[in-house]
Amino acid sequence: MRLIVEITREDYADFNKFHYMKYNFKKHIVFYLVCLAIVLFFFNRNGFDLFATIISTILYFLLFYISILMRFKSLKKIPMENGSFLEKTEYQFLDNKVLYKSEKSEGSYHWSLIKTFEEGTKAYYLYIDRIVAIVIPKRVFKNEEEMTAFQNLVKRNIQK
């Protein structure tokens, strides 16, 4: 199967959002809840104050939410304008490996290098390391059958 993929800044941001929500969000929630518990302990160490507890909890979660939004917004700025990530790349998915070719690079990945295959709402992610993935936006497929064929090809080859 041959696919021509042009990654946009939005694709890059979507990948990072997907990765964060799948692998880091729960850890950060636990961390922020522990921090909130410490803050509430200090606010209430001389006696329980319902108003201070409610206000500090609301402010704390508001700051948590804003910090996540700012993190996601900054992701679009990370890839360089002329960097290799935003290049148009041709992928050829063979039974023994994945070939790639762009204007500035070419090479291959053996299927054994692909650790996991994940599906997001807008793209497929073939993880080759903990935070590195081949991003295949769903918009590159002509129809649902082509997407299903791609999924089957990848699942069949990463289980070898």
Side-chain angles (χ1 to χ4, degrees), residues 147-160:
M147 263 196 260
T148 302
F150 174 75
Q151 290 173 340
N152 292 336
L153 173 73
V154 172
K155 288 175 183 176
R156 182 176 67 244
N157 283 297
I158 64 171
Q159 293 176 359
K160 286 183 178 181

Side-chain angles (χ1 to χ4, degrees), residues 61-111:
F61 278 106
L62 187 62
L63 288 172
F64 175 67
Y65 180 74
I66 290 170
S67 71
I68 290 174
L69 286 180
M70 289 176 64
R71 167 184 249 167
F72 288 163
K73 186 176 179 181
S74 69
L75 292 173
K76 291 181 187 177
K77 299 175 186 174
I78 292 176
M80 294 174 14
E81 284 293 332
N82 59 354
S84 63
F85 195 82
L86 299 179
E87 278 188 325
K88 185 184 289 187
T89 304
E90 179 182 336
Y91 290 98
Q92 192 169 357
F93 295 89
L94 306 173
D95 282 330
N96 60 340
K97 60 185 163 185
V98 177
L99 301 173
Y100 67 90
K101 184 177 182 179
S102 68
E103 185 181 319
K104 298 176 186 172
S105 68
E106 61 183 83
S108 66
Y109 297 107
H110 289 273
W111 284 108

Side-chain angles (χ1 to χ4, degrees), residues 22-46:
K22 180 140 181 113
Y23 296 103
N24 296 323
F25 185 70
K26 290 178 185 174
K27 294 176 200 171
H28 286 141
I29 286 286
V30 169
F31 172 76
Y32 279 100
L33 288 175
V34 168
C35 290
L36 176 62
I38 292 168
V39 167
L40 292 177
F41 171 77
F42 282 109
F43 274 137
N44 293 303
R45 67 177 177 235
N46 294 329

Side-chain angles (χ1 to χ4, degrees), residues 109-120:
Y109 297 107
H110 289 273
W111 284 108
S112 62
L113 287 176
I114 298 173
K115 307 302 181 212
T116 59
F117 175 61
E118 301 284 349
E119 180 179 0

